[in-house]
Amino acid sequence: MNSTSAVIGALVLSLVVGGLIAAQPPINAELARRSSDLAAALFSVAVSFFALAAVFLFLGEFGSLWKIRDAPPVYWTGGLLGALFVGVSLVTVRVLGAGALTAALISAQLIVAAVLDQLGAFGLDRVSFSGVRIVAVAALILGTVLMTVRL
């Protein structure tokens, strides 16, 4: 079981990065306006690649790279999912705005994540649906609807 301080640290780090990620679609959309959608998406993912490559090289994780070939191919799709996130969000933020887009993304992520928890998918520990989780999902869906209303 995780210690309380580890859980708090992980939660704080997740909240900080989650807040920063809210700026990613509008930043990428403006880059696309100044170039093209595909160019902006490619550049965004390339910057991610080079940033992670620099950290990878700095930490000397060379041996771990070869272990990836032993993983089932379904686990290789994370980068594709990230590229979809970047490409779709830089286009849809123009229509939805940052708030509604973020609400929609988070709601969809929470719903799918709750199902993955329930199933224990991808090596996760099983976490059953509860009344509280169902209320949380409903609240996020309601919040997403409210964030898309333009009065």
Side-chain angles (χ1 to χ4, degrees):
M1 194 62 157
N2 294 330
S3 72
T4 302
S5 61
V7 170
I8 291 171
L11 183 58
V12 168
L13 185 59
S14 297
L15 289 169
V16 169
V17 171
L20 294 173
I21 292 300
Q24 185 184 26
I27 288 170
N28 287 340
E30 181 59 20
L31 184 60
R33 190 182 70 75
R34 296 167 184 257
S35 57
S36 74
D37 292 343
L38 191 55
L42 176 64
F43 187 79
S44 178
V45 173
V47 168
S48 297
F49 171 81
F50 286 114
L52 286 173
V55 172
F56 180 83
L57 293 172
F58 177 77
L59 294 177
E61 290 278 328
F62 307 108
S64 63
L65 190 58
W66 298 110
K67 295 177 184 177
I68 290 174
R69 68 178 179 209
D70 297 328
V74 69
Y75 295 113
W76 302 351
T77 62
L80 176 60
L81 300 175
L84 284 170
F85 173 87
V86 168
V88 169
S89 64
L90 76 82
V91 172
T92 58
V93 72
R94 297 176 193 142
V95 176
L96 298 174
L101 170 64
T102 301
L105 290 169
I106 290 171
S107 293
Q109 288 174 8
L110 180 69
I111 292 165
V112 172
V115 170
L116 295 175
D117 280 345
Q118 170 74 24
L119 298 173
F122 305 119
L124 293 170
D125 291 336
R126 286 179 167 256
V127 179
S128 297
F129 276 110
S130 65
V132 171
R133 282 184 155 227
I134 292 169
V135 169
V137 168
L140 274 171
I141 292 170
L142 177 61
T144 300
V145 170
L146 294 174
M147 287 296 293
T148 59
V149 173
R150 307 243 175 152
L151 300 176

